[in-house]
Amino acid sequence: MSLPHAILTALLEKPSSGLELTRRFDKSIGFFWSATHQQIYRELGKLEQSGLIEAIPQPPSRGQRKEYKVLPAGRTALLDWVGQEQDPKGVREPLLLRLRAAAVVGAPGLQGELQRHLALHEQQLTEYLEIEQKDFPAERAAEENRLQHLVLRAGIGLETFWIQWLTEALTGLPDPARS
Amino acid sequence: MSLPHAILTALLEKPSSGLELTRRFDKSIGFFWSATHQQIYRELGKLEQSGLIEAIPQPPSRGQRKEYKVLPAGRTALLDWVGQEQDPKGVREPLLLRLRAAAVVGAPGLQGELQRHLALHEQQLTEYLEIEQKDFPAERAAEENRLQHLVLRAGIGLETFWIQWLTEALTGLPDPARS
DNA sequence: ATTTACATGTAAGGGGTTACATGATTTG
DNA sequence: CAAATCATGTAACCCCTTACATGTAAAT
């Protein structure tokens, strides 16, 4: 039940249409909870039906922009959700599965795949670091947006971990394959 | 499409029945790809229909143990899958979402939740470290099961990261709430 | 007028989660 | 034989993914 609350958060930060939300997800919340526009439209419909959000009155026709804002009930629902106990869900990373499978059936081409992942993680880390420089400059070690910064630091930490792990993995198996 | 391949890997390591697989998942593969017995039974059925695994002949009645082994076609399918390019999927961590939401609607009780998560991650790390000591002792810095060890090291690294991040987060907000 | 970009949706299928159902085997 | 345990399975629901469909507005 995370997506609806992600949407509520985004709408509280700024009322938006479905497409706007999709774009904002692509470059902020989506970093740790991605969603496609299909998911978002469906969820907006549900949230509206539940009385948690409201569409700003418009001639409702297809292909016509429809902007939503959060109702008081929506804010309450979000606050409830934030306060709930939720256990962290375990890792779910196919690459680790594939390594384990490779230990059994062999792994031609795995080295290349690891290098590809390494490059992708380095790219993501760079993106995060740029955002950090832009949004959280050292001067105002803000109390205001400390939480947002913390979230970004989680992303940075995770990418850093993967880069380190992949590097270690690659220095270990310098032979291209073993079928 | 990860679960079937996780099962193929497990069955190659050792032919098993559905319930055995469920238990083995709970304490090894399941650390980075969990599955319930319902999922496993359904998937075993599909794999058998596809001709990738085979049940060792038994009077097939309900409630009767049924052991599966991997067929050559299954091994091939797994090898194919290991060789495919698959992009890493982004993080999907509700706790980060909740922090972000807390930045908007406030966060009574969030500190307690962070401490709870910290304890859970410390517990998981301990479990991983025990497995490492038992299965990968320093003496034989094995080439044989290097890949398995690497996978475990990923788990260790991830838990370590979360512990560090949560600790940092908690030292920052020593006030119990702010609604 | 046609194309392009914007914007909102529908449909189908896969996978995961939870609750429940049923048969076999062991134990008291 | 009654209860507990082992073992396999069904059903319903929800979420995510992918591909496609439809309508509006602006540009050429």
Side-chain angles (χ1 to χ4, degrees):
Chain A
M1 295 279 293
S2 290
L3 181 56
H5 302 100
I7 291 178
L8 286 173
T9 304
L11 284 183
L12 278 171
E13 287 171 354
K14 179 178 182 313
S16 304
S17 68
L19 197 55
E20 263 180 298
L21 273 181
T22 305
R23 295 211 173 108
R24 289 175 52 201
F25 262 68
D26 282 346
K27 66 179 65 169
S28 76
I29 291 188
F31 286 143
F32 45 89
W33 202 275
S34 65
T36 63
H37 78 274
Q38 291 89 340
Q39 281 175 271
I40 289 175
Y41 283 122
R42 188 188 334 130
E43 208 60 48
L44 283 172
K46 284 191 200 170
L47 286 168
E48 190 178 22
Q49 274 202 322
S50 312
L52 301 186
I53 64 175
E54 182 186 56
I56 286 154
Q58 281 278 3
S61 72
R62 214 184 162 99
Q64 206 55 324
R65 197 186 132 87
K66 198 159 57 170
E67 186 152 350
Y68 293 93
K69 70 174 182 197
V70 178
L71 295 173
R75 178 180 282 267
T76 306
L78 184 58
L79 190 52
D80 279 359
W81 179 75
V82 171
Q84 282 171 20
E85 287 200 353
Q86 292 182 48
D87 288 355
K89 312 218 327 172
V91 185
R92 221 173 177 78
E93 176 51 63
L95 184 62
L96 296 180
L97 265 192
R98 289 199 285 161
L99 246 60
R100 177 115 184 193
V104 179
V105 295
L110 221 170
Q111 196 195 5
E113 180 70 352
L114 293 180
Q115 274 165 344
R116 206 173 63 85
H117 278 237
L118 179 55
L120 288 171
H121 285 294
E122 277 169 345
Q123 189 180 327
Q124 185 66 66
L125 177 59
T126 302
E127 192 173 351
Y128 285 157
L129 289 175
E130 279 168 5
I131 294 175
E132 189 180 35
Q133 276 200 329
K134 193 177 52 137
D135 292 359
F136 307 98
E139 47 263 35
R140 51 165 178 47
E143 265 309 309
E144 12 161 4
N145 42 20
R146 202 185 111 68
L147 286 176
Q148 290 96 326
H149 193 186
L150 220 87
V151 171
L152 182 59
R153 302 265 311 154
I156 291 172
L158 282 170
E159 295 304 327
T160 303
F161 159 73
W162 283 114
I163 290 168
Q164 177 189 330
W165 180 80
L166 283 165
T167 304
E168 183 187 326
L170 281 165
T171 57
L173 48 94
D175 48 295
R178 51 158 178 171
S179 61
Chain B
M1 296 279 292
S2 289
L3 181 57
H5 301 100
I7 292 179
L8 286 173
T9 304
L11 285 183
L12 277 170
E13 287 171 355
K14 178 178 183 314
S16 304
S17 69
L19 196 57
E20 264 181 298
L21 273 180
T22 305
R23 296 214 171 106
R24 289 175 53 200
F25 263 66
D26 282 346
K27 64 180 66 169
S28 76
I29 289 189
F31 285 143
F32 45 89
W33 202 275
S34 65
T36 62
H37 79 275
Q38 291 87 341
Q39 282 175 272
I40 288 176
Y41 283 122
R42 191 196 319 142
E43 208 58 49
L44 283 172
K46 284 190 200 171
L47 286 169
E48 189 178 22
Q49 274 201 323
S50 312
L52 301 186
I53 64 174
E54 183 186 55
I56 286 155
Q58 282 277 4
S61 72
R62 217 180 160 100
Q64 206 53 326
R65 196 186 132 86
K66 198 160 58 169
E67 184 152 350
Y68 293 92
K69 69 175 182 196
V70 178
L71 295 174
R75 178 181 283 265
T76 306
L78 184 58
L79 190 54
D80 279 0
W81 180 74
V82 171
Q84 280 171 23
E85 286 201 354
Q86 291 182 49
D87 287 356
K89 311 220 324 174
V91 185
R92 221 176 177 75
E93 175 52 63
L95 184 62
L96 296 180
L97 264 192
R98 290 199 283 163
L99 246 60
R100 178 116 185 193
V104 178
V105 295
L110 222 169
Q111 196 195 5
E113 180 71 353
L114 293 181
Q115 274 164 345
R116 206 174 61 84
H117 277 238
L118 180 55
L120 289 171
H121 284 294
E122 277 168 346
Q123 189 180 326
Q124 184 67 66
L125 178 58
T126 302
E127 192 174 351
Y128 285 156
L129 288 175
E130 279 167 6
I131 294 175
E132 188 180 35
Q133 275 199 329
K134 194 178 49 137
D135 290 0
F136 307 97
E139 47 262 34
R140 51 164 177 48
E143 265 310 309
E144 12 162 5
N145 42 17
R146 204 185 110 68
L147 287 175
Q148 289 98 323
H149 192 187
L150 218 84
V151 170
L152 182 59
R153 301 267 312 155
I156 291 172
L158 282 169
E159 295 304 327
T160 303
F161 159 73
W162 283 114
I163 289 168
Q164 175 188 330
W165 180 81
L166 283 165
T167 303
E168 183 187 327
L170 281 165
T171 59
L173 47 96
D175 47 295
R178 52 160 176 169
S179 61

